[in-house]
Amino acid sequence: MKNNLEHISFDKIVSKEGICYIDFRRTLKPAYKKAMSDILRGHLFLLLILTGISLLIKANLIWMPVVITLGALLIGYTLAYLHLFIHAAAHYNLHPDKQKNDKISDFLIGVFFGIQQKNYRKIHWMHHTNLGTKNDTEHSYFNELNPVFLLKCLAGIHTFTIILSRKKRGSRQPKKNRFPFSFLTYLILFHGVLLSTLFLLGGWKLVATWLIGLLVVFPALAAIRQLLEHRDIHASATLDYHETDHGKVSRLFGDGIVDKSFGAAGFNKHLLHHWDPAVSYTSLPAVEEYLMNCLETSSIIKESKTTYLSTFLTLFKI
């Protein structure tokens, strides 16, 4: 079955060398140092981008709308990269100590987006449980990829509807599971210091560039990425997948610089992650290599291999 391994149980898969997947799986260990290196690389790129924009603003050599637009795109893309490591933390892939894992997620990544790990994990696990059904909590792929959807993403309408739906779901949770006051205080202080620093370095132009990247470009890219990972090429534009099950689809993307950055933290191996969520994203390339050497899975891996760009072009409807 193309784009889905979930009908195959672990104990049914054996490599040509006679190694069962269950035994192979025991050899896989999370590379926590690599995970931290990947996160810090994102922070470094963000710092370099902001520094570069600040210098261009001060030099005033280029038409400012161009600087702001390109700067916002780079900021949004880098934030989208960093955001994916919150997902890695949800599966305890950042640190062997679970409490430290969540603190890394909250204080190094989640603070940018107002996302606390313990709340995100609950929503995300429901995505794994309900993938392809009308009850999925991460459902950008319910939408057809067309100009209207792209405009909704850029206008913030799509993001607003997602926030609203999660807020309604959150209102049914016990108070102890809601946003804690301590984290809210940290968020306010962090963003207050960040915006003040940006204003000192580049005035309102740098602040505007940051806010456009954070509030417009990042959520648009996140929505498009999720759609590309799960939208069936045969999905109907006339069906409401909030009322009708869409069906399970997960893709396997390439290893080029775009696929590995747009699909960071193992998202470019999404097909494998949904099949075995307990495996660290740092081990997914080894899992792919193993499955390519198994009779039961090699054809599915080959047929599911694509790129984000080719998937976009395939799914886009005018």
Side-chain angles (χ1 to χ4, degrees), residues 83-141:
H83 178 262
L84 297 181
F85 290 92
I86 298 175
H87 170 266
H91 293 275
Y92 299 106
N93 292 160
L94 300 187
H95 198 281
D97 184 304
K98 290 185 177 181
Q99 288 189 344
K100 291 181 180 178
N101 174 88
D102 286 6
K103 285 182 179 179
I104 292 170
S105 177
D106 291 347
F107 293 99
L108 287 185
I109 315 164
V111 65
F112 286 108
F113 315 101
I115 297 175
Q116 192 178 37
Q117 181 55 237
K118 70 176 183 179
N119 295 326
Y120 170 82
R121 185 176 287 117
K122 295 171 186 176
I123 294 172
H124 179 66
W125 191 248
M126 290 174 68
H127 168 59
H128 277 277
T129 303
N130 298 311
L131 175 64
T133 74
K134 57 189 178 184
N135 297 317
D136 196 346
T137 52
E138 299 177 13
H139 46 67
S140 292
Y141 65 95

Side-chain angles (χ1 to χ4, degrees), residues 67-85:
V67 174
I68 293 173
T69 301
L70 292 179
L73 288 172
L74 290 172
I75 288 169
Y77 191 93
T78 307
L79 287 173
Y81 166 91
L82 280 171
H83 178 262
L84 297 181
F85 290 92

